[in-house]
Amino acid sequence: MKTYFPKVQAPIAFEGRNSRNPLAFKWYDAKQKVRGKTMAEHFRFAVAYWHTFKGNGADMFGPGAWVREWNVGSPMEAAENTLRANFEFCQKLGAPFYCFHDRDIAPEGATFAESCNNLETIVALAKKLQKDTGTRLLWGTANLFSNPRYTHGAGTNPDVHVFAYAAAQLKHAIEATHELGGQNYVFWGGREGYETLLNTRYGQEQEQFAALLQLAVDHKKKIGFKGQFLIEPKPHEPTKHQYDFDTATVLSFLRAHGLYDYFKINVEANHATLAGHTFEHELTVAAAENKLGSIDANIGDLLLGWDTDQFPSNLYSTTTAMMVVLQQKGGLNTGGFNFDAKCRRGSNDVMDLFYAHIGGMDAFARGLLVADKILSDKPYNQIIEDRYASWKSPLGKKILSGKASLDALEQYVLKAGEPVLQSGRQELLEIHFNDLLNS
Ligand code: XLS
Ligand code: NI
Ligand code: NI
């Protein structure tokens, strides 16, 4: 059997923090327990098929720059080879999961029926390879944005014919995910948004999008798919305004359309910063409603205004992210950390794919260890306890249980007078944070 990564002996081992071996984990020890769960259970790392195997280094200013041995032959031959490369890679890396779009794993055919056949053929092979290797599917999704037919959107397209096409494609993508035991199914908005309001009926397009999601919910029930539905917010790109702008927008959209119970959020770090938020902000907004379903682990470059999808290496960011994940009840449950990330155009060697994923896994493992320390640190937590202590008083309890009235609060103020301004201790917390980051 052909091997695509002959330089890597399976699997990448944990060698500990003093190792300088680039093909070893320094921090990610799959079996190490943190708060009663192994690192493998906390993270459920996944490899993103589209970047890692279909990516070719192309950018806005130049075509593909990398030759990948698996991406050769007829479209179906290339698809089979790529699938084999995926399973070899995941196994050697020690990533338990992968994620795909329907059109990443199988090529689009000349007709819709041919596309469905291609997908079915590849899904059958994927099923076999999953069984052989133990690598599982974290989530599947449909590519409803690359083909020119989706230029004006899929679910939000002004042409109902395109809506129907998208719905049909979506049906097969959900079924493929179901067939492969996918633990989640992701909806990223693609071209669901607008370029100009001059030609756009915003309200109508919102209704259309809700209708598509409702159809998906109905079909999920019909076929008995148990995976979690996830929506991945993004503020812009490719359209100037994406409807799933950020987590708060998506949650309120779901509420308004009776879809709230059927979806959780897939937060992507780079999308958070594009929206003018931090990664931890988006995670916090989702986790506040126990809606943090999964994570697309990457990072942007704050000096570049687009979705650069870089591999995560920033320890401050992985730490603050893990502080949120650890505080959500049950962590990510069926979700995981999908490296929706690509090597830079200049990192053209297949070995760079290993370095990138190992680096990302170590950065998150280290973030987990520090987050655990911070969340268990007495001085740190005492500051926050003290900050909110007054809400445990009879007055605070009364307000939060809905038993207060404006009259009663006025009486309180007349007696108690002016409140004393309390320090928020931001700088002190930053000192504690940095002290623990260093440990
Ligand atoms: C694009 C998105 C996409 C989704 C899956 O910006 O991140 O890759 O994760 O469709
Ligand atoms: Ni993503
Ligand atoms: Ni993205």
Side-chain angles (χ1 to χ4, degrees):
M1 179 66 63
K2 175 151 184 61
T3 155
Y4 293 105
F5 309 102
K7 289 192 191 147
V8 178
Q9 301 306 313
I12 301 291
F14 171 72
E15 289 185 3
R17 62 187 69 178
N18 293 323
S19 168
R20 299 299 308 276
N21 174 5
L23 288 175
F25 294 117
K26 324 291 191 305
W27 300 88
Y28 177 67
D29 178 2
K31 293 195 204 81
Q32 184 182 342
K33 282 202 169 170
V34 178
R35 298 189 170 218
K37 265 162 71 171
T38 64
M39 283 197 182
E41 289 164 339
H42 277 288
F43 290 116
R44 299 157 55 82
F45 284 120
V47 173
Y49 209 93
W50 53 103
H51 286 311
T52 298
F53 305 109
K54 301 310 270 186
N56 59 11
D59 67 14
M60 304 275 268
F61 303 94
W66 309 336
V67 182
R68 298 300 198 211
E69 272 187 85
W70 52 83
N71 250 335
V72 293
S74 73
M76 280 305 274
E77 274 163 12
E80 281 193 19
N81 294 337
T82 307
L83 201 63
R84 292 188 194 280
N86 169 63
F87 285 98
E88 182 187 345
F89 184 82
C90 290
Q91 242 192 334
K92 288 188 168 175
L93 178 65
F97 292 99
Y98 70 115
C99 299
F100 63 69
H101 298 83
D102 50 359
R103 300 299 182 244
D104 306 331
I105 56 167
E108 185 141 9
T111 61
F112 182 73
E114 194 181 313
S115 301
C116 295
N117 278 340
N118 290 349
L119 186 61
E120 253 169 56
T121 307
I122 293 296
V123 163
L125 180 60
K127 199 170 178 182
K128 179 184 175 297
L129 294 174
Q130 284 188 186
K131 208 168 158 226
D132 293 351
T133 60
T135 304
R136 290 175 290 160
L137 178 62
L138 185 65
W139 50 260
T141 186
N143 180 332
L144 300 176
F145 45 89
S146 292
N147 190 291
R149 84 174 68 85
Y150 297 125
T151 297
H152 298 293
T156 62
N157 200 291
D159 181 355
V160 71
H161 188 160
V162 180
F163 180 102
Y165 205 110
Q169 187 182 329
L170 175 63
K171 171 182 129 93
H172 285 267
I174 295 173
E175 287 172 0
T177 304
H178 180 40
E179 174 71 12
L180 292 172
Q183 311 224 340
N184 308 271
Y185 182 90
V186 164
F187 296 80
W188 167 62
R191 293 181 196 272
E192 314 292 18
Y194 65 79
E195 290 297 334
T196 171
L197 283 172
L198 292 177
N199 68 9
T200 302
R201 289 191 174 155
Y202 181 92
Q204 151 130 12
E205 294 199 4
Q206 296 280 303
E207 294 304 319
Q208 287 178 213
F209 193 47
L212 185 67
L213 295 181
Q214 184 62 55
L215 290 169
V217 168
D218 296 345
H219 196 67
K220 176 182 196 272
K221 281 188 196 150
K222 185 172 167 189
I223 64 174
F225 174 50
K226 295 278 179 292
Q228 174 68 49
F229 273 178
L230 301 167
I231 294 190
E232 180 178 325
K234 186 173 184 180
H236 38 253
E237 196 189 275
T239 71
K240 127 174 153 168
H241 179 94
Q242 299 275 120
Y243 291 138
D244 295 331
F245 194 90
D246 61 3
T247 299
T249 308
V250 169
L251 289 174
S252 103
F253 170 86
L254 292 171
R255 258 191 217 98
H257 294 90
L259 292 161
Y260 188 78
D261 293 344
Y262 307 109
F263 292 84
K264 286 187 178 179
I265 306 292
N266 184 38
V267 172
E268 177 166 321
N270 203 161
H271 297 182
T273 49
L274 284 178
H277 302 310
T278 59
F279 182 25
E280 59 270 25
H281 167 90
E282 285 292 88
L283 295 170
T284 300
V285 174
E289 299 184 26
N290 208 31
K291 285 287 188 185
L292 175 55
S294 202
I295 289 176
D296 268 9
N298 63 13
I299 198 162
D301 186 320
L302 293 178
L303 298 183
L304 296 173
W306 67 86
D307 199 11
T308 58
D309 288 341
Q310 288 165 235
F311 276 87
S313 62
N314 182 321
L315 298 178
Y316 271 80
S317 169
T318 58
T319 301
T320 48
M322 291 315 297
M323 287 171 70
V324 184
V325 173
L326 282 179
Q327 289 181 88
Q328 178 172 265
K329 213 168 160 253
L332 293 183
N333 295 298
T334 65
F337 287 70
N338 165 48
F339 287 110
D340 192 352
K342 57 185 176 210
C343 288
R344 299 304 83 196
R345 184 172 162 89
S347 308
N348 62 335
D349 191 309
V350 288
M351 292 308 291
D352 292 313
L353 296 174
F354 276 94
Y355 303 143
H357 283 87
I358 292 169
M361 289 160 84
D362 267 348
F364 269 101
R366 204 164 168 187
L368 169 68
L369 294 172
V370 179
D372 171 43
K373 267 192 205 146
I374 295 173
L375 295 176
S376 323
D377 186 63
K378 279 236 169 72
Y380 186 96
N381 284 292
Q382 198 56 52
I383 293 169
I384 297 158
E385 270 306 310
D386 292 349
R387 190 156 190 248
Y388 289 94
S390 67
W391 284 95
K392 291 195 170 148
S393 68
L395 177 69
K397 285 185 184 152
K398 216 171 165 185
I399 295 170
L400 290 180
S401 60
K403 292 189 184 114
S405 67
L406 292 184
D407 286 335
L409 293 176
E410 182 191 14
Q411 287 311 309
Y412 177 86
V413 169
L414 285 172
K415 234 192 253 160
E418 192 62 30
V420 181
L421 174 64
Q422 308 284 340
S423 169
R425 300 274 182 244
Q426 180 173 337
E427 296 78 4
L428 179 55
L429 286 165
E430 286 165 354
I431 289 175
H432 284 312
F433 187 102
N434 279 359
D435 284 349
L436 294 162
L437 191 67
N438 215 5
S439 54

